[in-house]
Amino acid sequence: MPAKITATEQNLVHVFGDGYFFEIPLYQRPYAWTEEHVEALLDDLQDAMRHDREEPYFLGSVVLIKNDDDPRSEVVDGQQRLTTLTMLFCVLRDLSDDDELDEFVRQAGSVVKGTQDRYRLTARRRDQSFFETHIQRKGSLNQFLDLDPIDFSDSQRHMFENTKYLRDQLVQLSSEERKGLAIYVAQRCFLAAVSASDGNSARRICSVMNDRGLDLSATDVLKAEILDAISDSDTQDEYAAKWESIEENLGRDDFRDLFAHIRTIHRKDKLRHTLEEEFRDYVLGDLTSAKATAFVDEELELYADAYEMVLRSTYESTEGADKINALLRHLNRLNNFDWIPPAMEYFRRMKGQPDKLLKFSLDLERLAYGLFIRKANVNERIDRYSKVTSAIQNGESLSDDASPLQLTADERSEILATLNGGIYDQYRVPAPLLLRLDSILAEGGVRYQHPIISIEHVLPQNPAEDSQWMKWFPNEDERKRWTHRLANLVLLSRRKNTRASNYDFERKKREYFQRQGTTTFALTTQVVDQPSWNPNVLERRQEELIATLKREWRL
């Protein structure tokens, strides 16, 4: 009997209702969404709700092995989304103590219906007890979020961090705002549930849906429309060759991203519909043959050239190129690429003026790291960089204090306060920040090409009771205050060694921080040169490192 395949678009009232009981099978990878993913999801939900509370919001698709009359649904694709949405409902429920919201998390048993208590999502076997005890169980979150996640597995740590992020964000809303969000998410947010009656069919569907080539087909659709608008066949061939040369040079993935960045340069807002729809509306307009050729000549070629310089740090000039490319490499270490559209716009316009490009790159790198360290969310970043792009297009002075390219006094204060705190706890911030700081201390065009770079605490996170560390730091509060701060962090060009992390200071310097008598990083060399590592040393080092960043970024 052939497999039966169905696809239905349903709001979350139905998705987290009695028609589905989701099970994450053993073969699935662990839960891996990070705080950045959850931040983007929550920001998008709140932004969509503010934009138009009645307009449906599409959350994507899930692929299931499921038979019609059986609510049991084995999740082939969509684990990350379903797990995170469950966390969202759990946080909203526990903040409001709303039994209605608990219905999205579990089915309450009923003698009349002949049903038993049952959670609507069963996590992977290794994580289910953890997920049920600490997150799904009503009223468990406060105690859970007070735990120290040091002994959690990677997937459990992600669950902890993401639940904590959701709680920290949602607790700032009023009870009415949280209720409004819950109603919007339940009623106006939709998932496409694609169900197959056997595993082979479900996995084939999943494979097709996740084919990266299909995900990039927006550029193929636009290519056909733009070339079709060119009336002369010989000219069509000429521009098809230009198009394909650009795509081949960038590679298919980067070529797709190029179109997304060009759209942002024109639209100056987040993507609200499909890429091809917004590209037609905000970039191409009513296509004519002249407009089609002008787009390829005046936008696609020039922006592709600028994008390659910015993305791959390949600017060429008789002066200033090394400094400009070093700044671009620092920018590319960040965990977002929202800064690229204004960079493309400026490099396209000022390619032949290295002095202006250097000044712009210094200011853009300062702004980008400032937003990164402040943990500015995706909406704030897009809005800020769109204002920078507009300022460039309008010929405004980018050096004025009022320019969107410059940090405000409040922003500078917030950045300094964050730098002076437990920076290791700032998700994804430590590695780019420490590499940037190390490059300043190295005082040259240092390039980091190590296959592995890890962050090590000098004062260990869990020093032994009889160690030298405890003599230097007998006060537990003081020890904890210093453990995750900038002064106590160094870089290594190897994987972390848990055993070596707890060595006493002299042995740690000799056997762990140095390799064949040398260290790779300036930050680490400074530590090797220290005879001791006590609170006074850390206080002095913290002041020096903060002062270094303060000078570099004019804070």
Side-chain angles (χ1 to χ4, degrees):
M1 183 176 178
K4 184 175 181 181
I5 298 173
T6 61
T8 57
E9 188 174 280
Q10 298 177 324
N11 67 8
L12 297 195
V13 170
H14 292 92
V15 172
F16 287 89
D18 292 347
Y20 298 93
F21 286 102
F22 300 107
E23 298 177 6
I24 310 300
L26 285 172
Y27 59 78
Q28 286 281 17
R29 65 174 180 152
Y31 178 71
W33 265 22
T34 64
E35 187 180 305
E36 185 78 11
H37 293 102
V38 180
E39 175 191 344
L41 173 65
L42 185 61
D43 284 342
D44 284 347
L45 290 172
Q46 292 178 296
D47 186 59
M49 185 174 70
R50 286 191 294 265
H51 183 69
D52 187 345
R53 195 177 285 261
E54 297 304 314
E55 184 175 346
Y57 182 82
F58 184 57
L59 286 163
S61 58
V62 294
V63 180
L64 312 168
I65 301 172
K66 183 183 183 302
N67 290 303
D68 281 346
D69 299 328
D70 185 357
R72 181 177 176 274
S73 306
E74 186 174 315
V75 179
V76 178
D77 187 57
Q79 174 202 177
Q80 311 293 325
R81 218 161 323 155
L82 290 169
T83 305
T84 306
L85 288 169
T86 298
M87 293 175 187
L88 176 60
F89 282 124
C90 290
V91 173
L92 287 168
R93 174 201 62 193
D94 281 18
L95 287 176
S96 66
D97 199 28
D98 189 336
D99 287 336
E100 279 192 81
L101 285 171
D102 195 44
E103 294 177 9
F104 289 84
V105 181
R106 70 182 185 97
Q107 171 189 269
S110 167
V111 175
V112 176
K113 294 180 181 179
T115 58
Q116 297 179 333
D117 283 353
R118 184 176 180 182
Y119 288 105
R120 301 201 181 279
L121 174 73
T122 302
R124 291 168 70 248
R125 185 179 299 169
R126 290 183 178 181
D127 295 325
Q128 176 50 29
S129 176
F130 177 92
F131 192 62
E132 178 182 324
T133 301
H134 296 304
I135 298 174
Q136 289 175 301
R137 186 172 296 166
K138 188 176 180 181
S140 63
L141 288 184
N142 286 337
Q143 187 175 357
F144 171 49
L145 297 178
D146 286 337
L147 297 177
D148 186 343
I150 189 169
D151 294 324
F152 293 170
S153 68
D154 285 348
S155 58
Q156 292 168 358
R157 192 178 70 256
H158 288 312
M159 290 174 178
F160 173 86
E161 291 172 348
N162 294 344
T163 304
K164 186 175 187 302
Y165 175 81
L166 287 168
R167 201 277 302 269
D168 290 348
Q169 296 302 308
L170 295 176
V171 78
Q172 298 177 44
L173 305 181
S174 68
S175 58
E176 285 302 310
E177 288 172 327
R178 286 195 294 269
K179 183 176 181 180
L181 176 63
I183 293 170
Y184 179 79
V185 171
Q187 296 181 11
R188 305 308 298 161
C189 292
F190 289 76
L191 276 169
V194 183
S195 303
S197 57
D198 70 74
N200 287 334
S201 297
R203 282 183 279 277
R204 278 198 299 272
I205 294 167
C206 181
S207 176
V208 170
M209 291 177 69
N210 285 317
D211 183 338
R212 290 182 65 81
L214 291 180
D215 185 46
L216 302 174
S217 63
T219 56
D220 297 325
V221 173
L222 292 168
K223 175 183 179 182
E225 293 178 6
I226 291 166
L227 294 180
D228 189 57
I230 300 174
S231 54
D232 179 69
S233 60
D234 289 339
T235 307
Q236 268 188 350
D237 291 341
E238 175 190 346
Y239 279 82
K242 283 186 178 183
W243 186 291
E244 288 159 14
S245 175
I246 295 168
E247 183 174 5
E248 183 177 334
N249 180 54
L250 284 176
R252 195 164 172 83
D253 287 5
D254 288 339
F255 189 67
R256 190 270 179 195
D257 290 342
L258 167 66
F259 273 70
H261 293 315
I262 293 174
R263 182 216 68 90
T264 302
I265 288 170
H266 284 264
R267 176 74 171 101
K268 299 180 181 66
D269 196 0
K270 67 166 54 176
L271 190 70
R272 299 188 182 278
H273 301 285
T274 66
L275 175 59
E276 55 263 40
E277 286 175 327
E278 295 209 357
F279 211 89
R280 291 187 198 105
D281 291 342
Y282 298 102
V283 181
L284 299 176
D286 296 327
L287 267 177
T288 63
S289 183
K291 281 187 176 181
T293 56
F295 168 74
V296 176
D297 290 336
E298 297 169 16
E299 295 215 36
L300 187 59
E301 282 192 322
L302 297 180
Y303 279 129
D305 182 47
Y307 182 47
E308 184 176 15
M309 284 187 283
V310 166
L311 183 68
R312 299 175 183 171
S313 309
T314 55
Y315 177 69
E316 295 182 352
S317 174
T318 55
E319 57 183 59
D322 288 345
K323 292 180 180 178
I324 291 168
N325 287 327
L327 291 163
L328 292 172
R329 286 193 292 273
H330 295 315
L331 281 163
N332 276 289
R333 289 196 191 96
L334 299 178
N335 68 336
N336 70 81
F337 296 97
D338 303 317
W339 55 270
I340 285 183
M344 284 171 53
E345 184 67 27
Y346 200 83
F347 273 71
R348 182 178 76 88
R349 292 167 177 258
M350 303 294 178
K351 181 180 177 181
Q353 301 184 55
D355 54 336
K356 290 186 177 180
L357 284 178
L358 178 58
K359 179 66 172 68
F360 172 80
S361 299
L362 284 164
D363 286 344
L364 181 64
E365 190 258 359
R366 173 182 183 246
L367 172 63
Y369 269 81
L371 294 174
F372 175 64
I373 291 164
R374 288 178 50 240
K375 303 299 290 289
N377 65 40
V378 62
N379 292 318
E380 181 181 350
R381 294 195 307 265
I382 290 174
D383 180 66
R384 184 63 166 271
Y385 291 127
S386 293
K387 289 176 179 175
V388 174
T389 302
S390 293
I392 294 167
Q393 293 169 337
N394 295 333
E396 298 172 14
S397 171
L398 301 178
S399 301
D400 290 350
D401 288 343
S403 169
L405 186 59
Q406 304 302 323
L407 294 170
T408 67
D410 287 344
E411 287 171 339
R412 296 196 298 272
S413 296
E414 186 179 348
I415 292 164
L416 283 171
T418 303
L419 289 172
N420 214 15
I423 200 70
Y424 187 77
D425 289 327
Q426 299 294 317
Y427 181 68
R428 289 193 175 184
V429 170
L433 174 62
L434 288 170
L435 286 168
R436 183 66 181 98
L437 178 56
D438 192 84
S439 73
I440 303 169
L441 297 174
E443 296 181 345
V446 60
R447 301 184 72 162
Y448 301 100
Q449 297 176 321
H450 311 291
I452 297 170
I453 296 178
S454 59
I455 300 171
E456 181 57 62
H457 294 76
V458 182
L459 164 65
Q461 298 183 69
N462 296 292
E465 288 295 331
D466 59 349
S467 66
Q468 176 67 53
W469 302 112
M470 300 300 279
K471 296 175 184 176
W472 281 332
F473 295 88
N475 183 283
E476 182 180 4
D477 289 339
E478 184 172 46
R479 190 169 68 249
K480 287 183 176 179
R481 186 171 74 88
W482 280 111
T483 301
H484 294 324
R485 294 178 75 187
L486 199 58
N488 194 50
L489 304 176
V490 295
L491 294 166
L492 300 176
S493 57
R494 71 195 78 169
R495 295 190 188 281
K496 295 180 74 167
N497 182 328
T498 305
R499 182 180 299 174
S501 294
N502 290 320
Y503 288 165
D504 273 338
F505 188 50
E506 286 303 320
R507 186 182 179 190
K508 196 170 188 177
K509 288 192 297 180
R510 184 177 64 252
E511 298 182 24
Y512 192 27
F513 289 171
Q514 292 179 289
R515 176 173 287 175
Q516 297 177 344
T518 62
T519 61
T520 307
F521 301 99
L523 273 170
T524 315
T525 300
Q526 288 184 341
V527 174
V528 171
D529 292 339
Q530 287 291 334
S532 63
W533 200 254
N534 56 45
N536 290 334
V537 172
L538 281 166
E539 191 77 55
R540 184 173 63 254
R541 178 173 167 81
Q542 182 79 3
E543 290 176 2
E544 291 171 353
L545 295 179
I546 295 296
T548 298
L549 291 170
K550 192 173 181 179
R551 285 192 300 272
E552 181 72 14
W553 285 330
R554 311 189 312 281
L555 300 177

